[in-house]
Amino acid sequence: MRRAGDRHPPVARLMAASLLTVLTAALPLAAGGPALAADEVGLPAVGSVLPAGGACVKPSTERATDDPWTRQALGLTRVWQFSRGAGVTVAVVDTGVGTAAPALSGRVTAVGEAGTDCVGHGTFAAGLIAAAPQDGTGVAGLAPQARILAVRGTDERGATTPARLATAIRTAADQGAGVIYVGQALATGKDELEAAVAHAARRDALVVAPVAPDTLPVGPGTGRTAPAAPAYWPAAAAGVVSVLDFGPDGGRPEGAPQVAGADLAAPGDSVVGVGPAGTGHFIGSGSSFAAAQAAGAAALVRARYPGLSAAEAAHRLTSVAYPALPARLDAYASLSAVLAGAGSRGAVPSAGPAELVASAPAGPRDRALLVAGVVVGVVVLVAAGAVVLPRGRARGWRAAGGA
């Protein structure tokens, strides 16, 4: 619909739209090629709770052979130059972690029955944190050399209570985890969960949790989605890094819980991960998976800067994030930025020998020149059109000097 006061002719608007299209197409070229969004690969979905009467999740028979969008968004290739999470234990307080998952093989220690995962949510989150690269796929976790401590914070089917979750957080801290990922967000249990988080802080464990549940409950008998609570726990507790999700387009899915107060936003919608068994992949969406990405980044930071406390590691993650509302996780900057004040201890690596490069590789330069040339050409066309087209329209498209 044309708005009142819009003085731009339709042709000029079409040319401006064409410019945006060219720019959108050119940017992936400059970056070395696009990565597929997870919703394009037809993978089975993973949930946080099994439906009534539902059977345990079965291994996926589908594999993602293209790089998921999160790999480029998180900058894994650049990040791994600094850290892969070696020496750090990340506790996954969730539905359990399948010890048979090949991408986590040999790096999962389970407390009690947490080595099995009927729901699949905990294993999926653990994969986002620490899955090792596998042949034939670009799916991998941020910290592929970190160890996973599986602590079940729910019952076998994914339901939980504040008391159960608080006990799991305390157990994870007592077992020596440097980072504690919590997959659940509860509207009740403030006192219990605040006390559990404080216990973890005394043990120098950094707690990372979703700022809200992945989906809001539907009222019984009404069919209506319940409104979001003012706060969710343990994310709202002091010292917790609370995380919100975003998707491949930078936005959030329609119907996602609308909440405020997150410390970070991270890729969490249409993300690809592993299941409790087998080499197949699943797709998942929600703030719980964004929190898993942030927990993986926390493991990278604690591995690269072992002298930092949990609070200092949290500061390093949040202070260098991309400026937005909420700030967006920048794993690369959290590992490479030189900070002043809190969180800066141990942040300046020793300088290595300088290396002189005889000549820069031509490939990236040629792509950049190509993109620049295309963009400049389109800008010139748009500018010319903005002058010529209105004049032509005013003269009825008659040639200069004509009758």
Side-chain angles (χ1 to χ4, degrees):
M1 181 178 70
R2 191 170 183 177
R3 299 186 298 273
D6 187 354
R7 295 174 295 174
H8 299 287
V11 175
R13 288 203 305 273
L14 288 174
M15 294 185 71
S18 299
L19 173 60
L20 290 176
T21 301
V22 172
L23 288 173
T24 302
L27 288 177
L29 176 63
L36 290 180
D39 55 2
E40 298 177 13
V41 295
L43 302 175
V46 63
S48 57
V49 180
L50 288 178
C56 291
V57 65
K58 295 181 179 179
S60 170
T61 59
E62 302 293 332
R63 297 195 81 205
T65 55
D66 294 297
D67 286 355
W69 73 273
T70 52
R71 188 180 181 99
Q72 183 171 322
L74 293 166
L76 294 192
T77 301
R78 295 198 306 159
V79 162
W80 288 342
Q81 297 176 36
F82 294 101
S83 174
R84 293 187 178 226
V88 175
T89 296
V90 181
V92 174
V93 175
D94 207 324
T95 59
V97 177
T99 56
L104 299 169
S105 178
R107 291 183 292 122
V108 179
T109 300
V111 175
E113 298 179 350
T116 59
D117 183 10
C118 185
V119 181
H121 190 278
T123 308
F124 189 95
L128 296 178
I129 295 168
Q134 303 289 296
D135 290 340
T137 179
V139 177
L142 266 82
Q145 293 180 358
R147 295 194 60 83
I148 295 294
L149 175 68
V151 184
R152 186 170 287 169
T154 71
D155 64 17
E156 186 182 34
R157 304 184 67 80
T160 192
T161 64
R164 183 190 290 268
L165 209 57
T167 298
I169 293 171
R170 289 175 177 273
T171 299
D174 292 341
Q175 292 287 326
V179 178
I180 300 176
Y181 161 79
V182 182
Q184 287 67 43
L186 302 182
T188 60
K190 175 180 182 295
D191 293 341
E192 291 170 284
L193 291 168
E194 279 189 329
V197 169
H199 177 80
R202 289 191 293 270
R203 298 281 183 166
D204 196 33
L206 173 57
V207 180
V208 182
V211 73
D214 294 341
T215 58
L216 295 173
V218 176
T222 67
R224 297 179 179 178
T225 301
Y232 289 93
W233 309 91
V240 176
V241 175
S242 58
V243 190
L244 186 71
D245 58 306
F246 66 84
D249 62 354
R252 304 189 67 223
E254 183 178 354
Q258 299 301 313
V259 293
D263 297 308
L264 284 175
D269 294 318
S270 297
V271 296
V272 177
V274 301
T279 59
H281 297 117
F282 292 80
I283 183 174
S285 289
S287 292
S288 67
F289 300 134
Q293 308 277 20
L300 296 177
V301 169
R302 301 214 75 176
R304 177 159 169 76
Y305 305 117
L308 296 183
S309 67
E312 289 169 337
H315 173 76
R316 176 162 275 276
L317 285 172
T318 57
S319 64
V320 300
Y322 292 114
L325 289 175
R328 296 198 169 188
L329 175 68
D330 186 343
Y332 178 79
S334 70
L335 297 172
S336 59
V338 177
L339 304 183
S344 63
R345 185 154 48 90
V348 183
S350 58
E355 295 184 9
L356 297 178
V357 180
S359 60
R365 180 192 61 197
D366 292 344
R367 286 198 300 271
L369 291 174
L370 172 62
V371 172
V374 171
V375 172
V376 169
V378 175
V379 170
V380 171
L381 288 175
V382 171
V387 174
V388 174
L389 293 178
R391 293 182 178 178
R393 289 167 56 89
R395 293 165 51 174
W397 302 100
R398 297 189 302 272

